[in-house]
Amino acid sequence: MSIIHVLDQATINQIAAGEVIDRPSSVVKELVENAIDAKASVVTIEIKEGGQKLIRITDNGSGILKDDLSIAFKRHATSKIVKAEDLVSVGSLGFRGEALSSIAAIAKVEVITKTKEDFMGNRYVIEGGIEKECEEIGAPDGTTFLVRDIFFNTPARQKFLKSVSSETSHISDIVERLALSHPEVSIRFIVNGQNRFHTSGNNRLKDVIYSIYGRDIAKQLLEVNLEKEDLKITGYLGKPQVAKTNRSYEIYFINGRYIKSKMISESLEEGCRTFLMQHRFPFCVLHMEINRERLDVNVHPSKMELRFQNPEYFSEQIISCVKQTLGGNDLIPETKIEPTVIKEEPVYNPAPKPIPEFKLPPIPPKKIEPIEKPKVVVPKPESKIVKPEPKLVIPPASKIRLVGQLFDTYWVVEYEGECLIIDQHAAHEKVMYEEIVESLSTRKFQMQQLLPPRIITLTPKQRTSYEQLNPFLSEMGFEVEPFGGSEIAVYGMPDNLIGIEPEEFLVGLLDRGSEGKKWVPEEVYERAATMACKAAIKGNHRLSEQEAKALFEKLVNLKNPYTCPHGRPTMIRMTQRELEKKFKRVL
Ligand code: ADP
Ligand code: MG
């Protein structure tokens, strides 16, 4: 009997579908692109449970004619090209005619559509590639796609889906990029019944950035405008203050498409290098128009590869454009107005926040922008809570003998037959760090109210991550609540973390969550403690002998007293025997 057999059509379609649709976010991408291709000016995207349960995309575009409905769901059915040569010139987003057939092959799809010319609309249902229903119904102009139970007939693929939050985050990425690449289209994004963002469709990119990333970022943007041979760049570049810790906010579109290019990313980073701190990446949303003849486009089902005919030329242009944008603007006043009401140190924290370092551009400041008054949305503090300076308790039962201090920093100590030279600052940091980690993990802290509360604007992805993280945050002594729209308010935080910037801490946490990475509680405590120590340690603080003794007592009793949280040594040790060997008293 033959062991080779030909796969049936349904299986062939499912395999082909897998290349186009690998997760719910690809469904969203294809359907929103179709809506934009259909000249819609308003598109609503709604998802439930990471898109696996439901994706609903509604547009007010051209609609699909009744006779075209079933054809549209056939493989390689497209209204956009007729033959292969058309691929080179096609300006629309989709052109392979594979999306609808692929989606229908792996999900339950319902379409309600009406063209302007038709009096009645049509409803068409197709599940796993099999037509189920087709009927005339009343409907508004445009098209609504409902996609349910993705991969219901391919459980093997379903297993590869990540958690709901991770799929939601993928979809957020796609929808954000679509909104940023089409400021002329009003896009509403709804997750589990909650409005994530809504762009107005007024064709102003800055307004789209505001809708997605919030006021704090939108306030710190520099306009980019470059027109050179074969290259045009427009859009916005964030000032150094809004630089990010990862590359995911380097957003650029080439000829309308979101594309990742190593050359472009490296050029952007090179252009920013002298303006940003180390390990920081620019925030930008740039539209690049590149002469199509200078590009070699390789279309792959899931990604698009670009090769540039003269990469050095484009790289140079991008680098100098970024340098000019950052260098041509006066960045000084912005750093001065940075500590607004929202950024203000908590009233009970006397430690000043270090001003972030960045090199200033060589060009002298041109004009000082008027200082924008921040909107005060919270009541003024009525009373000040002053946290008392922690006093070190001097242990009665101590084996430590202080010999003396060197250079105002190092203490020479005799302890259990050893000579220790202890770095006072490193010791202080280490002891404090361990105490904070311990108190956080054993819940030995009290919630302190923040007056006024801190308002933090979140991106849609951070928002998803916040919903997940919130129970953990409250366990950790943070009182955080939604503050309407994309904002959250921090009303309280654990007293042992007073001094850290709640915004810096929480946003760092949420960013990591939104990248799909999980936080282990211990890691969170360690991160919090590191930040708290940094905020609390004061340089050249003179310790009295009693304070030093109490501090070192704590230090030597730690599990690992030898290195500070950053891995630097806290002490140098020498045993009595080693000393005697050095003096050749023993051999
Ligand atoms: P492609 O977009 O590559 O042409 P698709 O499978 O995505 O292929 O779509 C097939 C066809 O269905 C499109 O060419 C278009 O004519 C029609 N279509 C799909 N979605 C819409 C929509 N939202 N509004 C109007 N027409 C649509
Ligand atoms: Mg398409």
Side-chain angles (χ1 to χ4, degrees):
M1 202 181 79
S2 164
I3 50 167
I4 300 178
H5 59 271
V6 175
L7 296 174
D8 62 59
Q9 195 56 43
T11 313
I12 293 171
N13 283 350
Q14 277 178 12
I15 293 170
E19 286 191 11
V20 184
I21 306 298
D22 56 348
R23 60 197 321 164
S25 62
S26 352
V27 174
V28 173
K29 177 172 177 287
E30 295 292 342
L31 294 184
V32 178
E33 287 187 346
N34 278 347
I36 294 171
D37 281 347
K39 305 273 175 296
S41 59
V42 181
V43 181
T44 303
I45 300 115
E46 196 182 339
I47 61 160
K48 290 211 166 117
E49 293 185 18
Q52 293 169 48
K53 194 161 171 224
L54 173 76
I55 294 171
R56 190 203 323 253
I57 315 263
T58 305
D59 71 55
N60 65 348
S62 65
I64 308 172
L65 288 167
K66 183 178 182 184
D67 292 345
D68 281 345
L69 259 175
S70 58
I71 304 170
F73 283 93
K74 298 234 157 46
R75 268 190 91 195
H76 307 299
T78 175
S79 55
K80 297 163 197 172
I81 58 167
V82 181
K83 48 191 189 311
E85 293 88 87
D86 295 347
L87 277 174
V88 190
S89 54
V90 75
S92 69
L93 297 165
F95 46 75
R96 296 185 315 271
E98 281 181 303
L100 294 192
S101 65
S102 301
I103 297 167
I106 49 90
K108 300 176 180 170
V109 180
E110 182 180 342
V111 195
I112 297 158
T113 184
K114 180 185 161 311
T115 63
K116 280 191 189 67
E117 297 72 32
D118 281 338
F119 180 66
M120 286 292 279
N122 289 287
R123 179 173 165 270
Y124 180 82
V125 180
I126 177 166
E127 295 180 356
I130 300 160
E131 250 183 56
K132 295 272 169 169
E133 281 175 65
C134 187
E135 56 173 348
E136 265 202 344
I137 52 161
D141 291 349
T143 306
T144 297
F145 269 89
L146 290 109
V147 179
R148 297 188 177 93
D149 302 331
I150 294 184
F151 299 133
F152 79 100
N153 55 352
T154 42
R157 293 203 78 86
Q158 212 169 26
K159 273 194 212 131
F160 284 100
L161 290 177
K162 299 259 171 56
S163 65
V164 166
S165 70
S166 159
E167 295 300 338
T168 303
S169 156
H170 273 281
I171 296 175
S172 290
D173 277 344
I174 297 278
V175 179
E176 284 167 20
R177 285 170 204 156
L178 286 162
L180 290 165
S181 56
H182 292 278
E184 78 286 4
V185 181
S186 165
I187 292 192
R188 186 188 288 276
F189 181 40
I190 301 167
V191 177
N192 298 330
Q194 283 192 331
N195 210 2
R196 275 304 152 87
F197 69 78
H198 182 195
T199 67
S200 67
N202 68 0
N203 207 11
R204 289 178 55 183
L205 180 61
K206 198 172 183 176
D207 290 352
V208 181
I209 298 177
Y210 179 99
S211 308
I212 297 175
Y213 299 108
R215 176 188 54 194
D216 293 352
I217 286 198
K219 251 180 13 192
Q220 309 277 17
L221 297 177
L222 301 169
E223 199 174 337
V224 178
N225 237 320
L226 174 97
E227 204 162 349
K228 289 276 154 134
E229 207 193 326
D230 297 331
L231 170 74
K232 189 175 167 205
I233 309 180
T234 53
Y236 293 91
L237 181 63
K239 292 185 186 174
Q241 293 93 311
V242 292
K244 299 289 174 186
T245 49
N246 60 53
R247 285 199 172 85
S248 49
Y249 296 86
E250 284 173 11
I251 300 167
Y252 44 85
F253 302 93
I254 299 175
N255 299 345
R257 285 170 196 276
Y258 176 82
I259 279 168
K260 273 279 158 212
S261 145
K262 200 160 176 265
M263 182 278 279
I264 293 184
S265 289
E266 283 175 358
S267 310
L268 288 170
E269 287 160 28
E270 176 56 28
C272 289
R273 199 166 47 84
T274 49
F275 299 96
L276 303 190
M277 282 191 287
Q278 255 195 324
H279 310 301
R280 294 276 159 152
F281 300 91
F283 171 93
C284 66
V285 181
L286 299 172
H287 282 267
M288 303 189 182
E289 289 298 326
I290 296 180
N291 183 347
R292 280 163 209 261
E293 285 169 22
R294 300 276 166 265
L295 292 175
D296 182 5
V297 185
N298 179 13
V299 189
H300 178 271
S302 58
K303 62 175 189 289
M304 187 177 269
E305 281 165 14
L306 270 194
R307 246 175 294 146
F308 297 82
Q309 260 181 22
N310 186 356
E312 296 81 20
Y313 166 77
F314 290 108
S315 173
E316 267 169 38
Q317 294 300 335
I318 295 169
I319 295 173
S320 80
C321 170
V322 170
K323 280 189 179 167
Q324 266 179 30
T325 308
L326 288 172
N329 279 272
D330 173 21
L331 301 167
I332 307 168
E334 295 300 319
T335 52
K336 283 190 180 154
I337 60 162
E338 189 48 19
T340 56
V341 168
I342 288 159
K343 292 250 173 191
E344 204 172 79
E345 291 294 321
V347 284
Y348 27 71
N349 170 34
K353 195 192 167 201
I355 294 166
E357 256 185 72
F358 61 85
K359 287 187 189 143
L360 291 170
I363 299 161
K366 277 187 203 152
K367 68 170 201 284
I368 293 178
E369 288 175 22
I371 292 176
E372 203 179 308
K373 279 222 166 140
K375 255 195 232 155
V376 183
V377 282
V378 286
K380 284 251 178 259
E382 276 158 18
S383 60
K384 290 197 170 196
I385 305 167
V386 179
K387 196 187 178 207
E389 280 268 322
K391 281 267 170 295
L392 288 162
V393 183
I394 291 119
S398 180
K399 288 186 204 146
I400 284 178
R401 189 172 74 81
L402 292 185
V403 181
Q405 196 182 18
L406 294 170
F407 319 120
D408 273 350
T409 301
Y410 309 101
W411 289 81
V412 182
V413 170
E414 185 188 330
Y415 175 69
E416 292 191 330
E418 289 189 338
C419 164
L420 308 180
I421 303 177
I422 302 179
D423 176 333
Q424 171 188 310
H425 305 296
H428 193 180
E429 204 169 335
K430 175 72 175 186
V431 167
M432 190 162 189
Y433 170 86
E434 291 294 343
E435 282 179 349
I436 297 172
V437 171
E438 160 87 10
S439 64
L440 285 172
S441 47
T442 54
R443 309 267 181 268
K444 278 192 210 112
F445 53 76
Q446 285 189 341
M447 207 266 284
Q448 284 270 4
Q449 271 203 320
L450 285 174
L451 284 173
R454 301 305 185 84
I455 312 299
I456 305 177
T457 313
L458 301 183
T459 64
K461 279 173 82 181
Q462 289 167 347
R463 183 66 210 259
T464 310
S465 168
Y466 157 73
E467 273 154 29
Q468 285 208 316
L469 201 70
N470 199 25
F472 174 60
L473 289 177
S474 46
E475 257 182 62
M476 238 186 110
F478 278 91
E479 193 186 317
V480 190
E481 276 175 29
F483 197 67
S486 54
E487 292 182 326
I488 54 169
V490 187
Y491 292 98
M493 62 194 282
D495 57 352
N496 48 11
L497 293 188
I498 289 302
I500 73 170
E501 261 305 325
E503 176 163 3
E504 195 185 340
F505 175 67
L506 293 176
V507 165
L509 224 58
L510 296 174
D511 267 345
R512 176 150 169 145
S514 63
E515 281 164 28
K517 292 184 197 129
K518 285 245 161 5
W519 275 109
V520 187
E522 287 69 31
E523 272 176 56
V524 179
Y525 303 149
E526 283 166 18
R527 187 187 162 94
T530 309
M531 287 174 95
C533 288
K534 218 166 85 188
I537 299 293
K538 289 166 222 117
N540 284 332
H541 173 72
R542 280 190 99 88
L543 285 185
S544 71
E545 289 205 3
Q546 280 182 325
E547 281 175 320
K549 213 166 172 179
L551 178 66
F552 302 151
E553 184 73 30
K554 285 186 177 173
L555 180 72
V556 294
N557 283 308
L558 294 179
K559 249 192 245 148
N560 166 18
Y562 307 114
T563 51
C564 81
H566 311 291
R568 283 197 310 275
T570 52
M571 62 172 86
I572 299 169
R573 290 192 307 163
M574 204 182 285
T575 59
Q576 188 177 354
R577 194 171 163 75
E578 275 171 305
L579 208 62
E580 283 168 349
K581 268 165 83 179
K582 286 206 188 306
F583 284 105
K584 307 268 186 255
R585 281 173 170 267
V586 291
L587 292 174

